[in-house]
């Protein structure tokens, strides 16, 4: 598998210039013809946070310490997952005019979407840490541990993107089903509520949701001041590997059919 991954990266390196142009295009396209342009990368999460903070603190009485950071960490991580996978799902069909004319590695279009989403996530992460400082949470070296769940989440997003991009070429209904699924997943990811009010058995079930595990890692490091144990690390790594393996197998299985449906 490592040899296969290495071969795919070598192919991307061969088309490095085109890949960089695709990343620039995908990132700029999102804010094309908008008044604020790329500033929406910063303004949009702030507005979402403001609305959610007002709703859940004033109307639902959430007043635990650092609740805004709790909310921001959940929303930030889930938005990265949703943005990456939605972009990945549409990557092949949106570039069908190029794919049908030029012989290029098709997964390159999916990876360019993921890199564009990662840049957006990085910009939002800067705002997140400004809020962390504003909320009085001291910075420490443990924050570097966040690199681990971020890398796992990137791999997880690529894996889910591979599955969705392959299925979307064959079944267009996938986009509507996925919208419903992500809405349901957001409620199951404890973005705006605490799970300590649930029974221990239910709390364990939350860990069956990969996005909840990645969000919890963020909160443990930033808010609660400790690096999660080896079980959480294994879960993060395991979910990423399973998603990537499943994505690669499904993508490879249907790869030869793509040209007939574009």
């Amino acid at each position: 598998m490592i040899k296969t991954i290495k071969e795919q990266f070598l192919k991307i390196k061969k088309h490095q210039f085109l890949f960089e142009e695709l990343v620039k295009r995908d990132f700029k396209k999102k804010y094309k013809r908008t008044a604020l342009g790329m500033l929406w990368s910063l303004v949009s999460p702030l507005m979402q946070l403001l609305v959610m903070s007002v709703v859940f603190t004033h109307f639902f009485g959430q007043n635990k310490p650092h609740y805004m950071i709790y909310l921001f960490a959940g929303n930030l991580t889930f938005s990265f997952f949703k943005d990456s996978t939605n972009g990945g799902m549409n990557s092949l069909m949106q570039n069908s005019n190029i794919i049908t004319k030029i012989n290029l590695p098709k997964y390159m279009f999916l990876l360019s979407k993921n890199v564009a989403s990662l840049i957006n996530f990085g910009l939002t992460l800067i705002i997140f840490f400004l809020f962390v400082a504003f909320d009085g949470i001291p910075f420490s070296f443990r924050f570097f541990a966040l690199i681990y769940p971020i890398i796992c989440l990137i791999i997880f997003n690529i894996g889910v993107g591979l599955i969705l991009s392959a299925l979307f070429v064959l079944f267009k209904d996938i986009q509507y089903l996925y919208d419903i699924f992500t809405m349901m997943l957001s409620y199951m990811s404890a973005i705006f509520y605490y799970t300590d009010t649930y029974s221990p058995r239910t709390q364990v079930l939350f860990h069956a949701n990969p996005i909840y595990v990645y969000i919890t890692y963020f909160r443990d490091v930033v808010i609660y001041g400790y690096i999660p144990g080896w079980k959480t690390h294994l879960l993060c790594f395991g979910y990423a590997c399973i998603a990537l393996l499943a994505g690669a197998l499904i993508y490879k299985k249907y790869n030869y059919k793509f040209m007939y449906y574009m």
Side-chain angles (χ1 to χ4, degrees), residues 20-32 37-42 83 112-113 115-123:
E20 289 173 358
E21 290 302 310
L22 285 172
V23 173
K24 289 177 189 174
R25 185 202 64 176
D26 290 337
F27 186 70
K28 290 178 181 176
K29 191 177 177 181
K30 189 174 181 180
Y31 305 109
K32 190 179 179 182
M38 289 168 54
L39 279 177
W40 277 113
S41 298
L42 307 177
D83 190 35
S112 72
K113 293 279 185 185
V115 173
S117 296
L118 181 61
I119 294 170
N120 200 54
F121 173 72
L123 292 172

Side-chain angles (χ1 to χ4, degrees), residues 1-198:
M1 186 176 178
I2 294 174
K3 186 182 176 183
T4 306
I5 292 173
K6 189 179 177 181
E7 286 174 357
Q8 306 310 323
F9 273 105
L10 287 174
K11 286 183 181 177
I12 292 176
K13 194 175 180 181
K14 185 180 174 183
H15 302 284
Q16 186 177 349
F17 176 75
L18 178 61
F19 183 73
E20 289 173 358
E21 290 302 310
L22 285 172
V23 173
K24 289 177 189 174
R25 185 202 64 176
D26 290 337
F27 186 70
K28 290 178 181 176
K29 191 177 177 181
K30 189 174 181 180
Y31 305 109
K32 190 179 179 182
R33 295 180 183 175
T34 58
L36 295 180
M38 289 168 54
L39 279 177
W40 277 113
S41 298
L42 307 177
V43 175
S44 179
L46 284 177
M47 292 177 72
Q48 287 181 31
L49 180 66
L50 180 65
V51 171
M52 293 176 77
S53 180
V54 169
V55 170
F56 291 108
T57 54
H58 292 277
F59 295 100
F60 290 92
Q62 291 283 10
N63 54 6
K64 286 190 177 183
H66 307 302
Y67 178 68
M68 186 176 284
I69 301 302
Y70 184 91
L71 195 62
F72 203 160
N75 195 44
L76 169 78
T77 311
F78 190 83
S79 295
F80 177 41
F81 162 75
K82 189 178 176 183
D83 190 35
S84 291
T85 52
N86 268 322
M89 177 168 58
N90 295 302
S91 60
L92 294 179
M93 291 308 297
Q94 283 181 351
N95 294 285
S96 59
N97 57 335
I98 302 175
I99 293 171
T100 51
K101 293 173 184 172
I102 307 172
N103 185 22
L104 292 168
K106 299 180 192 69
Y107 55 82
M108 197 168 70
F109 298 97
L110 180 141
L111 292 179
S112 72
K113 293 279 185 185
N114 275 269
V115 173
S117 296
L118 181 61
I119 294 170
N120 200 54
F121 173 72
L123 292 172
T124 315
L125 203 58
I126 295 170
I127 301 297
F128 173 71
F129 283 120
L130 289 177
F131 270 79
V132 168
F134 180 76
D135 208 32
I137 299 175
F139 282 82
S140 74
F141 284 106
R142 70 175 180 275
F143 280 21
F144 286 105
L146 294 176
I147 294 171
Y148 181 77
I150 290 173
I151 290 174
C152 290
L153 184 55
I154 292 169
I155 296 170
F156 181 79
N157 290 344
I158 291 172
V160 175
L162 284 168
I163 297 170
L164 291 171
S165 64
L167 295 179
F168 184 54
V169 173
L170 306 175
F171 312 104
K172 298 296 180 290
D173 295 343
I174 285 292
Q175 61 179 327
Y176 302 106
L177 293 172
Y178 191 61
D179 282 344
I180 298 168
F181 174 75
T182 49
M183 183 182 69
M184 184 179 68
L185 192 66
S186 69
Y187 289 117
M188 295 169 62
S189 299
I191 294 173
F192 48 83
Y193 59 88
Y194 292 88
T195 57
D196 53 5
T197 54
Y198 292 92

